Amino acid sequence: MSTLSFWQTFAPNVDLKAPYTDRYRVSLGQHRLDLPLRPLPSGELAVASLLVNQTSFQVADAICAGLGRLAAEIKPDLVVGMPTLGLGLAAYVARHSGLERYVPLSTSRKFWYDEKLSAPISSITSPGTAKRLYLDPNLLPLVQAAKRIVIVDDVISTGTSLSAGTDVLTAAGVTPHAALCVMTQSNRWKNRFPFPILSCFSSPIFRRVKNGWTVDSYEN
């Protein structure tokens, strides 16, 4: 299914009902946004998809405004960005919070990086891809001087990627104060972290039925 028409405009202020065919509608501030349903490799389950780097500028502005409102509740003194789609969002959150910069984590290892400041990372949308997440050791003083560190990512689903970010910060000797994301998927990430996770909106996991997709009560 082509997703070219998604994430470009806001949807009508009307709820969609199951069974869902090709989309799931969420609330984004005062707007509604349709997300395409993307089947997982098994074919029996699907997730609502969001690629923040493919949104129109008006949708991107609404997403950033939502993250800004969440950040205002936390007042971070350091923002850490998760690669790759969380990096641009982290830059916005840091600027919106009055900070001069943010700290990016990376899956691209430079020759001066230290393996001790890294952790394995994976994602449900990138199966079978073995990567490591790194903190540039030159940024270590910024991280260790902060007291209210907020990790920013685009989507949190199982919590595996966020766990990698937390592990890297733990290796640096610090603990995140909170995490911000645009979307949380299901509840599978809950109870994995000792800090709050705030999102602009949430979406469930879907199971295939005769006429489309319905919310999967087991996976959620």
Side-chain angles (χ1 to χ4, degrees):
M1 179 188 69
S2 172
T3 57
L4 283 176
S5 62
F6 286 92
W7 316 308
Q8 306 307 305
T9 59
F10 298 117
N13 189 24
V14 178
D15 289 334
L16 299 179
K17 296 182 179 180
Y20 306 102
T21 54
D22 64 341
R23 67 192 62 208
Y24 182 69
R25 186 164 294 170
V26 297
S27 295
L28 176 58
Q30 62 181 352
H31 305 292
R32 297 291 187 95
L33 185 65
D34 283 351
L35 306 178
L37 295 181
R38 196 180 299 275
L40 295 175
S42 69
E44 293 303 312
L45 299 177
V47 294
S49 177
L50 174 67
L51 294 175
V52 295
N53 62 344
Q54 294 185 19
T55 65
S56 67
F57 292 135
Q58 68 167 344
V59 171
D61 288 346
I63 287 173
C64 287
L67 288 174
R69 288 190 291 270
L70 295 176
E73 301 177 18
I74 300 174
K75 298 180 176 58
D77 61 1
L78 182 71
V79 174
V80 175
M82 290 287 295
T84 53
L85 298 184
L87 297 179
L89 300 173
Y92 173 86
V93 170
R95 184 186 292 269
H96 181 82
S97 301
L99 305 178
E100 294 184 353
R101 62 181 300 169
Y102 79 106
V103 168
L105 300 182
S106 174
T107 55
S108 176
R109 189 186 189 283
K110 309 304 180 184
F111 68 83
W112 63 87
Y113 283 9
D114 186 344
E115 287 294 319
K116 294 180 180 179
L117 294 176
S118 73
I121 185 171
S122 61
S123 166
I124 65 168
T125 55
S126 301
T129 303
K131 295 182 179 180
R132 293 192 71 83
L133 187 66
Y134 294 91
L135 170 67
D136 187 330
N138 291 297
L139 300 176
L140 192 57
L142 294 176
V143 172
Q144 293 181 333
K147 298 186 180 301
R148 297 174 68 87
I149 299 174
V150 172
I151 303 180
V152 176
D153 205 353
D154 60 331
V155 177
I156 295 175
S157 184
T158 61
T160 303
S161 295
L162 182 59
S163 289
T166 302
D167 289 344
V168 171
L169 292 180
T170 298
V174 299
T175 300
H177 178 76
L180 300 183
C181 66
V182 182
M183 175 171 67
T184 49
Q185 286 178 333
S186 77
N187 294 319
R188 294 177 296 175
W189 51 271
K190 288 189 173 180
N191 302 319
R192 293 192 62 173
F193 305 99
F195 50 83
I197 297 174
L198 286 71
S199 66
C200 297
F201 52 81
S202 299
S203 67
I205 302 296
F206 304 87
R207 182 171 293 277
R208 189 183 296 277
V209 292
K210 182 178 180 180
N211 298 317
W213 301 90
T214 189
V215 174
D216 187 273
S217 58
Y218 177 77
E219 291 291 335
N220 292 287

